[in-house]
Amino acid sequence: MHAFAAHLARAWPLAKRDVMARYRGSVAGVLWTLAGPLAMVGIYSAVFQGVFKARWAGTGGDGVDFALRVFAGLVVFSAVAEVATRATRLVQDNANLVKRVVFPLELLCVALVMQVGVHVAIQLLVLGALQAVWGGGLGPSAIWLLLAVPWLVVLMLALALGLSALGCYLRDLQHLVPLAMSGLLFLSPVFFPQSAAPPVLKAVLAINPLSGPIEAFRTAFFGQPFDWESAGWSLGGALLALVVARALFARLRPGFADLV
């Protein structure tokens, strides 16, 4: 536990530096982290409800209910997409640390997850406030955040370790991953509950690593039913992916300095 805390303490200055650099000179500062998800919620809600007359399956909720549930899905998806996209160039973008400094490079991945985690925390606070004001409030199901948040962290860290290591060797990943994430947006339960998907799409959602965390966050905020048996397999897969990604990072790390 002490070693884990020491790792976090060493990674936080890197994460803090990147957060400050990202919003330096900006009038709104870190509040810009809300602009993207909220704009997407507004656009997609207008399209799905105004054009397709969509309603959230299994609830009698209004437009606000639909928008809040979409927002919950977008918080998770946006965090994972940002980590995956930035991880493909993480080693190259920190060449000075790779070449000149004796530094535990896996902390770059931890710092990336921590930086994105700051954005996630702000977005979840806003979601909680909106749910408290317009969505009927938070109930006892909020306790499931104790599972949903670590689950998301495990998934992001696995992606950061795996894609940063592979991205150093396979430069095409920096172009392929954003395209893949764009397609994955509509193959994840962001705009609909997993239970309402047609059979063919349900098979895809069952193996989609984003499905579990998205549904877990919705369970925490809205108290919706959740298939915990399927979640067990998904969470186990995320933990296994983290172990494999860490081993891959360690295996490929000796060649980083020669490639950046």
Side-chain angles (χ1 to χ4, degrees), residues 15 18-20 22-24 26-41 71-80 82-83 86 112-127 130 152 156:
D18 290 343
V19 170
M20 298 300 290
R22 182 170 183 174
Y23 299 107
R24 186 177 294 117
S26 169
V27 175
V30 74
L31 292 179
W32 279 112
T33 191
L34 298 173
L38 287 176
M40 292 178 71
V41 167
F71 186 27
L74 284 174
V75 169
V76 177
F77 181 86
S78 298
V80 171
E82 182 175 358
V83 168
R86 293 180 57 190
L112 173 59
V113 171
M114 292 177 77
Q115 179 188 344
V116 174
V118 171
H119 301 158
V120 171
I122 294 172
Q123 292 167 356
L124 291 180
L125 286 173
V126 171
L127 175 60
L130 293 175
L152 178 59
M156 291 194 296

Side-chain angles (χ1 to χ4, degrees), residues 154-168:
V154 166
L155 183 57
M156 291 194 296
L157 188 55
L159 285 170
L161 287 166
L163 289 175
S164 62
L166 291 174
C168 191

